[in-house]
Amino acid sequence: MPCVEEACVSGGVEHVDIFPSVQTFAARAMAEKLDLISKCIRTFPDFPTKGIAFKDIFPVLKDPKALAAVTDLFEEHVRRAYPQVDLIVGLDARGFLFGPLLAQRLGVGFAAIRKKGKLPGPTLSVAYSLEYAKAEAEMQEDAVSAGQKVLIIDDLLATGGTLYAACELIKQQKAEVLGCLVVVELKYLNGSEKLQSAPVFSLIQY
């Protein structure tokens, strides 16, 4: 009678798994989602200034499957690596597109960091440099509570200035930054080196 689960080999019996493992299915599903996201990202040279290769993530939002893939992959990572997270903080402005979706999936709150002058009431602010400009990030004083465990989300990591400022704002409020999540990371700009105390998780790297 043929054996479907075991095969006889010299010196003993070797187990043969006739079904792909759960890990294989998971890896395949992840690869398919990453491929879908990657195909939706466009590059515009010399925008907003000459020498900048702008990564446009808006086609991801236009494709419901791609947007769901982004949220799925972030959720899977956070549930595995940071089950203790209390709050998702999104950066102005494209962090607002992904942050609330992830926060809702995780059952936690969402808070915003905006450009200076956009928020009412008492605020805290930190100045920072972009790859093509200078700016100032601002957050309402009561947006984060002392001791909360926070993940920061944005669409892209370039030089790391924006995320660094966000981390400093969170620390000013005596909360803990668990890490940073981005859809796209420009590895050649070494932005993650500026965020040494905050691990960076990126879906797509260039």
Side-chain angles (χ1 to χ4, degrees):
M1 181 176 184
C3 176
V4 296
E5 292 186 348
E6 293 182 341
C8 296
V9 297
S10 177
V13 176
E14 178 185 43
H15 179 76
V16 176
D17 187 357
I18 62 170
F19 300 107
S21 67
V22 173
Q23 290 84 357
T24 300
F25 279 124
R28 186 180 303 160
M30 178 181 292
E32 290 174 352
K33 289 176 182 179
L34 289 172
D35 184 60
L36 176 60
I37 297 165
S38 180
K39 288 177 178 176
C40 287
I41 297 171
R42 303 182 295 188
T43 301
F44 287 91
D46 298 323
F47 182 86
T49 60
K50 188 173 179 59
I52 301 296
F54 186 86
K55 300 299 181 183
D56 179 19
I57 55 87
F58 284 112
V60 173
L61 304 175
K62 187 178 179 181
D63 186 327
K65 291 183 179 178
L67 181 57
V70 169
T71 311
D72 289 346
L73 293 173
F74 278 149
E75 180 188 7
E76 290 164 11
H77 173 71
V78 173
R79 290 193 183 280
R80 182 175 63 253
Y82 304 110
Q84 74 274 37
V85 64
D86 297 313
L87 186 72
I88 302 295
V89 170
L91 302 192
D92 193 347
R94 288 179 290 275
F96 300 167
L97 303 174
F98 302 104
L101 296 175
L102 177 60
Q104 185 180 49
R105 287 271 193 99
L106 297 170
V108 300
F110 173 82
I113 290 179
R114 299 213 63 187
K115 296 178 178 67
K116 189 171 178 62
K118 299 292 185 180
L119 292 170
T123 59
L124 300 169
S125 64
V126 171
Y128 64 98
S129 296
L130 295 165
E131 61 271 30
Y132 51 83
K134 292 185 179 295
E136 198 166 348
E138 195 169 59
M139 191 174 204
Q140 290 175 316
E141 286 184 356
D142 60 357
V144 180
S145 301
Q148 279 193 306
K149 300 181 187 303
V150 176
L151 284 170
I152 302 172
I153 189 168
D154 202 7
D155 67 320
L156 181 138
L157 170 60
T159 60
T162 311
L163 282 170
Y164 178 81
C167 290
E168 291 303 302
L169 278 174
I170 300 301
K171 292 173 185 176
Q172 282 185 28
Q173 301 190 71
K174 299 184 178 358
E176 179 184 352
V177 178
L178 297 176
C180 300
L181 312 172
V182 294
V183 180
V184 175
E185 180 178 1
L186 305 181
K187 300 284 285 187
Y188 58 88
L189 292 177
N190 301 314
S192 59
E193 293 181 4
K194 188 173 285 189
L195 306 168
Q196 294 178 2
S197 62
V200 174
F201 176 75
S202 56
L203 299 180
I204 308 295
Q205 299 83 34
Y206 293 95

